[in-house]
């Protein structure tokens, strides 16, 4: 989708100068000049620095209030708006005040925005070796772009190129026209130059028509280690009356916070970049398609290997609209009063994502990417994965699902595999596996958990979901070493197909424990600070008393096991599972 909302800076009196001449550069190659200096932000270097510092001071003050509720350390990724600074700069500034923790350690920013003016299919980098702003030139990590495209180390980038078909991020392309006048990436660069200094390199990308997985694969290929931050550039709703816009934006914010894919472009102009990040948060960094070492090879800046199977913590920071005159509402706080509820406005929000190594054991298995965050508020309890599939004989369902999981693991391990029983053949022979579905695959060995990975909400075909989770349970569960070829015959496989979560209308812990159905209900708990966790129904086998079940789940969410509530402070959802285990 291409839109033409030029939501610019109110102050356009600054004299526009050619940003290509900003700073003295000895770099060779094309420098992409600033396209929106003087409109979205001041073109005068001094006035731009003053404005950014004022807004960062505002963000730092907000951070002092919000910091006790946030994880420590530098966020790995942020979602920030990209309108004129006088409209959305303060909303972005809170996220950048957080990223400022990484000054001295962060040396690269991967910036992904939408395509407002020139549509593309895929995710586009450019041939530029630097992007200029009034603060100077930000060098582009062209070597990382070459590797992501599958090019030789000395091969020049040419507009019109496509990634090599064998690379994991095959949706990556080179397209200069889509970058020429695009503001979504450009407006982030002066903030990044200010908080990280002149040595920062960038990877500027415009995400056009692309699936969440395609954008996610590009992000995975450029993810890097602690030296790299991911900046997703997006506004929210556009030009609705403010009273209605706030309602729409709060729904979108909730969907993002709960990792509900996909976000629609009508709700966020940067939906494609956002969906790519959410794909990473739900599917993780490891993929059978991804070459894990490629991004860290041959780069002086990429001196830390990409961590595998991390756990992510996504937090809303703040929200606002263009009608709020730069005043933002912190997460969990009410919005300011509206001057004119009927005024058309643009919505903004900032999020941050923290990444850590997933550690520890659990009575119930974890998703590869913080499954505790992947929940749904859909009030209907019927599952998208069980439409016409309910008509399939249960014995056939069991055979197909277990055979599919086994075949996927064999294929991954490189074991001898009957071509007539490959994952592709099993899926093609069972059309119901092409319907949307969410699953967990659990592996045990001699009665002990050996790996378990899954998701709570259907976002792709059930067959692909099961096959991918089977491989991830065998190879990518962070609690265990990968399954070896010799272990394969010892594995016991179980596939769980999940229904959609539905809200439980309970106000207290006592009501919850009285309502739960042991052995039937999977449970999701969410508190007002965004802490969430889930247990599958199978956990009832170890925790048969509702009070114990809830206590352990609270502990998993980082809440005191003895915590009691009476005012609906904890949101409760339940879901059912159809489990298919080997005898």
């Amino acid at each position: 989708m291409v839109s033409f909302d030029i939501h610019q800076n109110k102050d356009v009196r600054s004299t526009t100068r050619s940003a290509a001449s900003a700073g003295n550069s000895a770099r060779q190659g094309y420098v992409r000049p600033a396209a929106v200096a003087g409109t979205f932000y001041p073109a005068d270097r001094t006035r731009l620095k003053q404005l950014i510092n004022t807004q960062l001071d505002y963000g730092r003050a907000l951070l002092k209030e919000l910091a006790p509720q946030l994880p420590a350390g530098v966020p790995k990724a942020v979602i920030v708006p990209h309108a004129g600074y006088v409209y959305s700069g303060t909303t972005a500034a809170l996220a950048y005040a957080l990223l400022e923790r990484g000054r001295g350690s962060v040396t690269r920013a991967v910036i992904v925005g939408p395509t407002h003016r020139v549509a593309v299919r895929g995710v586009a980098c450019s041939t530029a070796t630097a992007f200029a702003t009034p603060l100077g030139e930000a060098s582009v990590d062209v070597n990382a772009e070459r590797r992501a495209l599958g090019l030789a180390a000395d091969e020049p980038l040419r507009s019109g190129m496509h990634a090599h078909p064998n690379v994991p991020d095959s949706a990556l392309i080179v397209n200069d026209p889509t970058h020429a006048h695009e503001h979504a990436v450009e407006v982030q660069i002066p903030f990044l130059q200010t908080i990280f200094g002149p040595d920062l390199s960038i990877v500027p990308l415009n995400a056009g028509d692309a699936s969440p997985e395609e954008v996610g694969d590009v992000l995975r290929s450029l993810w890097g280690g602690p030296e790299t931050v991911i900046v997703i550039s997006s506004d929210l709703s556009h030009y609705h009356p403010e009273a209605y816009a706030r309602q729409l934006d709060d729904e979108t914010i909730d969907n993002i916070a709960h990792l509900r894919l996909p976000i629609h472009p009508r709700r966020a102009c940067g939906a494609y970049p956002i969906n790519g990040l959410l794909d990473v948060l739900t599917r993780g960094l490891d993929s059978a398609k991804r070459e894990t070492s490629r991004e860290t090879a041959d780069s002086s800046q990429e001196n830390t290997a990409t961590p595998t199977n991390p756990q992510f913590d996504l937090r809303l920071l703040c929200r606002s609209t263009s009608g709020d005159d730069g005043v933002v509402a912190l997460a969990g706080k009410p919005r300011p009063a509206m001057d004119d509820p009927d005024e058309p406005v643009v919505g903004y929000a900032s999020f941050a994502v923290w990444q850590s190594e997933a550690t520890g054991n659990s009575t119930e298995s974890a998703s590869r990417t913080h499954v505790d965050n992947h929940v749904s508020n859909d009030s209907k309890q019927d599952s998208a994965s069980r439409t016409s599939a309910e008509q399939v004989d249960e014995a056939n369902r069991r055979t197909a699902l277990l055979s599919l999981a086994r075949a996927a693991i064999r294929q991954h391990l490189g074991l001898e595999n009957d071509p007539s029983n490959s994952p592709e053949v099993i899926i093609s022979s069972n059309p119901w596996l092409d319907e949307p579905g969410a699953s967990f695959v659990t592996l045990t060995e001699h009665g002990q958990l050996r790996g378990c990975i899954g998701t709570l909400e259907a976002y792709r075909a059930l067959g692909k979901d099961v096959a991918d989770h089977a491989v991830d349970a065998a190879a990518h569960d962070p609690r265990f070493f990968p399954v070896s070829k010799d272990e394969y015959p010892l594995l016991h496989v179980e596939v769980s197909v999940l229904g959609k979560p539905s809200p439980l209308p309970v106000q207290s812990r006592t009501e919850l424990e009285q309502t739960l159905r042991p052995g039937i209900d999977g449970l999701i708990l969410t508190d007002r600070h965004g802490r969430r966790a889930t247990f599958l129904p199978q956990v009832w086998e170890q925790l048969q008393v509702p009070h114990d079940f809830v206590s352990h789940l609270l502990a998993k969410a980082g809440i005191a096991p003895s915590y009691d509530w009476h005012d609906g402070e904890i949101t409760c959802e339940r879901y059912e599972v159809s489990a298919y285990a080997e005898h």
Side-chain angles (χ1 to χ4, degrees):
M1 172 176 290
V2 182
S3 59
F4 293 91
D5 55 299
I6 312 302
H7 190 48
Q8 300 172 340
N9 195 324
K10 290 176 180 175
D11 183 1
V12 297
R13 294 173 295 173
S14 300
T15 303
T16 304
R17 65 181 176 88
S18 172
S21 63
N24 296 318
S25 175
R27 299 184 187 89
Q28 300 297 315
Y30 164 60
V31 177
R32 188 268 196 189
V36 294
T39 53
F40 282 75
Y41 57 85
D44 179 76
R45 176 185 176 88
T46 300
R47 294 184 60 241
L48 176 57
K49 288 173 67 72
Q50 290 173 339
L51 177 58
I52 290 176
N53 287 331
T54 298
Q55 292 184 329
L56 281 173
D57 285 343
Y58 179 78
R60 294 175 186 122
L62 294 175
L63 182 57
K64 288 182 180 179
E65 182 178 349
L66 191 62
Q69 305 171 36
L70 299 177
V74 187
K76 177 63 182 182
V78 294
I79 302 174
V80 287
H82 55 232
Y85 281 15
V86 297
Y87 292 102
S88 67
T90 49
T91 304
L94 175 53
Y96 284 120
L98 261 175
L99 285 181
E100 198 171 25
R101 294 173 175 178
R103 188 178 180 94
S105 61
V106 172
T107 58
R108 186 179 68 161
V110 177
I111 315 168
V112 192
T115 57
H116 287 92
R117 293 168 175 80
V118 178
V120 295
R121 172 68 181 92
V123 181
C125 63
S126 75
T127 63
T129 58
F131 272 49
T133 79
L135 301 185
E137 293 176 5
S139 64
V140 174
D141 189 349
V142 180
N143 289 332
E145 293 177 339
R146 286 194 186 99
R147 288 190 297 276
L149 288 161
L151 303 179
D154 58 351
E155 186 171 354
L157 271 59
R158 297 183 299 275
S159 191
M161 276 183 165
H162 289 254
H164 192 280
N166 292 331
V167 300
D169 49 346
S170 56
L172 189 62
I173 63 173
V174 185
N175 186 290
D176 281 335
T178 195
H179 281 276
H181 300 289
E182 178 58 56
H183 64 276
V185 167
E186 179 183 328
V187 298
Q188 312 304 340
I189 298 174
F191 271 106
L192 291 164
Q193 290 172 308
T194 300
I195 64 172
F196 291 132
D199 294 331
L200 179 79
S201 68
I202 62 172
V203 180
L205 301 170
N206 290 346
D209 181 19
S211 70
E213 183 176 356
E214 288 173 326
V215 182
D217 283 343
V218 173
L219 290 176
R220 276 180 276 268
S221 72
L222 294 163
W223 196 260
E227 81 292 336
T228 299
V229 296
I230 310 296
V231 178
I232 302 298
S233 182
S234 180
D235 297 338
L236 297 180
S237 67
H238 284 53
Y239 306 119
H240 297 290
E242 183 160 15
Y244 181 53
R246 288 185 174 189
Q247 177 185 339
L248 288 178
D249 291 345
D250 285 346
E251 291 175 0
T252 303
I253 288 167
D254 188 63
N255 286 334
I256 294 172
H258 289 88
L259 310 184
R260 298 191 191 105
L261 281 161
I263 305 301
H264 196 280
R266 285 198 296 267
R267 293 297 189 91
C269 60
Y272 293 120
I274 290 173
N275 288 335
L277 178 62
L278 298 188
D279 181 76
V280 174
L281 302 189
T282 54
R283 296 199 305 123
L285 289 174
D286 289 298
S287 166
K289 298 191 302 177
R290 182 174 176 271
E291 298 173 21
T292 55
S293 63
R294 178 165 55 88
E295 178 55 25
T296 57
D298 303 323
S299 172
S300 61
Q301 292 190 354
E302 296 164 34
N303 49 24
T304 303
T306 302
T308 58
N309 300 290
Q311 192 172 23
F312 297 104
D313 191 348
L314 171 65
R315 301 290 185 94
L316 170 68
L317 302 177
C318 62
R319 54 192 176 159
S320 70
T321 73
S322 56
D324 292 332
D325 292 327
V327 178
V328 306
L330 288 176
K333 300 292 185 180
R335 290 179 181 264
M338 291 177 279
D339 291 335
D340 181 2
D342 295 323
E343 177 189 4
V345 297
V346 176
Y348 317 118
S350 286
F351 291 83
V353 176
W354 281 261
Q355 173 186 341
S356 63
E357 293 293 337
T359 57
N361 294 318
S362 168
T363 310
E364 182 263 12
S365 61
S367 161
R368 73 172 115 176
T369 56
H370 205 178
V371 71
D372 305 343
N373 279 343
H374 198 152
V375 299
S376 169
N377 286 323
D378 195 320
S379 61
K380 297 180 181 179
Q381 200 167 350
D382 58 307
S383 169
S385 66
R386 296 181 59 83
T387 52
S388 63
E390 288 186 329
Q391 308 304 318
V392 178
D393 180 81
E394 286 298 291
N396 290 338
R397 281 174 59 83
R398 176 181 174 278
T399 299
L401 290 167
L402 293 174
S403 297
L404 174 59
R406 281 276 183 189
I409 296 171
R410 284 198 307 272
Q411 189 178 79
H412 171 75
L413 293 174
L415 295 170
E416 185 175 340
N417 207 349
D418 180 1
S420 65
N421 197 38
S422 67
E424 295 77 16
V425 170
I426 294 172
I427 291 173
S428 64
S429 300
N430 295 274
W432 53 272
L433 286 172
D434 287 326
E435 298 176 9
S439 67
F440 271 76
V441 176
T442 304
L443 307 178
T444 55
E445 188 176 316
H446 302 304
Q448 300 298 313
L449 183 65
R450 189 62 181 83
C452 183
I453 296 293
T455 50
L456 282 175
E457 185 171 287
Y459 68 97
R460 57 180 172 178
L462 177 60
K464 180 171 177 55
D465 201 66
V466 171
D468 283 359
H469 289 329
V471 171
D472 288 337
H476 301 138
D477 189 320
R479 297 165 295 179
F480 306 101
F481 289 111
V483 170
S484 67
K485 292 181 180 180
D486 292 339
E487 286 183 279
Y488 173 78
L490 306 177
L491 295 178
H492 179 274
V493 180
E494 179 176 331
V495 177
S496 300
V497 181
L498 281 65
K500 287 187 178 180
S502 60
L504 279 171
V506 295
Q507 293 296 308
S508 67
R509 176 169 180 163
T510 300
E511 283 185 83
L512 172 62
E513 293 173 358
Q514 291 174 346
T515 303
L516 285 173
R517 299 171 297 177
I520 298 176
D521 289 335
L523 179 62
I524 303 164
L525 299 182
T526 309
D527 76 356
R528 292 173 180 172
H529 301 293
R531 294 177 292 186
R532 302 175 185 87
T534 186
F535 274 163
L536 293 173
Q538 289 92 317
V539 178
W540 287 106
E541 296 176 8
Q542 289 80 39
L543 302 171
Q544 300 176 6
V545 178
H547 183 78
D548 295 340
F549 189 90
V550 173
S551 294
H552 281 76
L553 186 53
L554 286 169
K556 184 181 178 185
I559 304 170
S562 61
Y563 186 74
D564 199 0
W565 66 93
H566 304 278
D567 57 357
E569 179 181 355
I570 302 289
T571 300
C572 308
E573 298 169 277
R574 67 178 169 193
Y575 56 93
E576 295 185 26
V577 165
S578 296
Y580 303 91
E582 294 177 331
H583 297 311

